[in-house]
Amino acid sequence: MQKTIFGILPIFVFLCALSACKTDTNDACATDFDQLSLLSNIGNNIILPSYQKLAQEATDLDVAAVDFANSPSIGNLITLRNLFQGTWTTWQSASIFEFGPAETEELRTYMNNFPVFVTRLNDAITSGNYDLQTETYSYTRGFPALDYLLYGIANSDNDIVALYNTASDANNRKQYLKDVTALIKQKANAVYDTWKVSGANYLNTFTSTEGVANGKPISNLINQLNQTYELFKNNKIGTPISAKTGYVPILPANVEAYYSRQSLALALASVRANKAVFLGLYNNTDGVGLDDYLMATNASKGNEALHTVIINQYDAAISALVALDPSSLHDAINTDLNAVKTSYAAAQNQVVYLKTDMPSALCTSITYIDNVDDGD
């Protein structure tokens, strides 16, 4: 019997070699692609600068809010609005990276839950009794709250300034405004401080950890690229037109930036930032991105390379938004709903490529909690 086993063993080894027997250390998706070059580019050239810019602009925004509260005037209101719009636009890029420090700080829920709960916000101002760091006020803080406080509380700029100057609750309103910007500043700086080398240096963790398992940087990046894209598709476009309920009812007031009419500009900033991360693009420089990783796997969709399919669908989604007229998404919904539906469809068509095909090719899993009626 022992002799038989030894006789079979060389044959087994030979057959195993021919069939490339897998062990626990083998990677079914192994390529020669340098994962660390991807992480270095995304971390050093995209994520860290995005958080640095957000932290600086959030600090400047808070200073402008204090200046306006100390001396409400049309000039100070315009200055504050300009900084607000710039910071909100910067947020569209930084919002993609909701893992690690941003996940710990719950950055998205503090920065950009919309639409704003106006009644709750006004009640908080009237009473002067609120805690913006509790879930109760998660839709009365961040950029959407500023959108209302700087644009939506009256019909003219003069009337808005008067509400901060002479209204019976002017002091409470000024305090609320300052509390909102102070919290934006606090959260933005907390995340940046954790990422930067002179802080907790999460950048080193991100750029030095290979692998595609859940919780690894590449898995986190792919998950959050997907989730941010779906927030763009669903929250910015789909919800206001009730895309998941047969376009009934139409709710244009649920757009992002309803009061400042910046919804379309923010949607474009969001999808363009998403595409830039996929490409590894920074400062008009084509760095190592997920497109390069897909090329290394020779992933395809039909007769086309998968990375090309994804890039083309990004472009289709962007073009559909650019084609909307007027430039406010709220107004476009009211004047040309079919064009907005077309924009939503172009955005929706990308989901299967990003969420199913790319993770499959790169052996990553989608782990974030998703809507069951997502349509993908």
Side-chain angles (χ1 to χ4, degrees):
M1 183 69 177
Q2 186 176 13
K3 183 177 180 181
T4 304
I5 292 174
F6 282 109
I8 293 174
L9 185 60
I11 299 174
F12 172 78
V13 172
F14 175 72
L15 292 175
C16 187
L18 286 179
S19 60
C21 287
K22 295 180 182 178
T23 69
D24 290 340
T25 60
N26 284 347
D27 181 359
C29 293
T31 70
D32 293 332
F33 183 76
D34 182 1
Q35 293 181 349
L36 295 184
S37 66
L38 165 65
L39 295 172
S40 177
N41 180 51
I42 298 295
N44 285 288
N45 297 323
I46 299 179
I47 299 178
L48 189 65
S50 293
Y51 281 136
Q52 181 180 27
K53 185 178 182 182
L54 180 67
Q56 183 59 61
E57 291 184 0
T59 300
D60 294 342
L61 177 68
D62 186 53
V63 171
V66 172
D67 289 344
F68 174 73
N70 289 339
S71 180
S73 66
I74 295 294
N76 283 342
L77 176 64
I78 292 172
T79 298
L80 179 54
R81 282 175 170 175
N82 288 338
L83 286 168
F84 160 64
Q85 290 179 11
T87 310
W88 206 355
T89 301
T90 296
W91 162 250
Q92 305 301 318
S93 297
S95 68
I96 297 172
F97 313 111
E98 189 81 356
F99 52 81
E103 184 179 20
T104 299
E105 294 292 335
E106 301 177 89
L107 202 58
R108 279 193 194 131
T109 65
Y110 276 91
M111 294 294 198
N112 207 40
N113 279 349
F114 64 90
V116 64
F117 288 0
V118 171
T119 300
R120 185 171 298 171
L121 188 154
N122 284 330
D123 287 346
I125 290 174
T126 299
S127 68
N129 182 25
Y130 53 86
D131 182 353
L132 294 180
Q133 300 207 47
T134 62
E135 187 176 355
T136 299
Y137 294 96
S138 63
Y139 282 81
T140 60
R141 65 193 181 197
F143 297 114
L146 292 180
D147 189 52
Y148 173 69
L149 290 166
L150 300 181
Y151 293 88
I153 58 176
N155 292 325
S156 72
D157 290 356
N158 285 326
D159 289 342
I160 289 173
V161 170
L163 287 172
Y164 286 96
N165 256 326
T166 58
S168 60
D169 59 356
N171 286 335
N172 283 6
R173 181 171 286 104
K174 288 186 284 190
Q175 187 60 52
Y176 196 91
L177 174 70
K178 291 188 293 182
D179 288 343
V180 171
T181 60
L183 188 55
I184 290 173
K185 171 189 171 182
Q186 174 193 327
K187 289 292 182 177
N189 278 275
V191 172
Y192 174 53
D193 288 344
T194 309
W195 268 90
K196 66 185 183 182
V197 175
S198 60
N201 198 14
Y202 186 80
L203 178 66
N204 181 66
T205 300
F206 181 81
T207 58
S208 63
T209 308
E210 295 180 282
V212 295
N214 294 343
K216 297 287 188 179
I218 286 176
S219 176
N220 289 338
L221 179 65
I222 290 173
N223 268 271
Q224 289 309 308
L225 186 81
N226 268 281
Q227 187 165 32
T228 308
Y229 186 87
E230 293 205 85
L231 290 171
F232 150 72
K233 171 183 71 80
N234 292 333
N235 294 18
K236 296 177 190 290
I237 307 173
T239 297
I241 62 174
S242 296
K244 294 183 179 181
T245 57
Y247 302 102
V248 178
I250 301 301
L251 302 167
N254 283 352
V255 297
E256 187 178 22
Y258 169 70
Y259 298 99
S260 61
R261 295 298 195 262
Q262 295 297 307
S263 51
L264 187 55
L266 295 178
L268 280 166
S270 176
V271 68
R272 284 169 172 159
N274 205 275
K275 178 186 175 184
V277 171
F278 177 77
L279 295 174
L281 186 67
Y282 65 97
N283 297 331
N284 295 318
T285 300
D286 185 10
V288 181
L290 291 167
D291 61 328
D292 298 293
Y293 199 174
L294 286 174
M295 278 190 277
T297 68
N298 294 313
S300 61
K301 184 73 173 180
N303 295 323
E304 283 191 275
L306 179 57
H307 72 279
T308 300
V309 172
I310 292 174
I311 293 169
N312 289 342
Q313 198 58 48
Y314 272 125
D315 292 340
I318 292 168
S319 295
L321 286 175
V322 170
L324 292 178
D325 184 41
S327 59
S328 164
L329 186 56
H330 169 273
D331 295 338
I333 290 171
N334 285 325
T335 60
D336 194 352
L337 179 59
N338 285 333
V340 182
K341 289 180 180 179
T342 298
S343 296
Y344 176 80
Q348 172 65 34
N349 289 340
Q350 178 75 295
V351 173
V352 68
Y353 307 141
L354 285 181
K355 191 175 178 183
T356 301
D357 296 326
M358 179 171 69
S360 176
L362 301 182
C363 278
T364 56
S365 300
I366 296 300
T367 58
Y368 64 84
I369 298 174
D370 190 19
N371 295 323
V372 295
D373 60 342
D374 188 30
D376 57 303

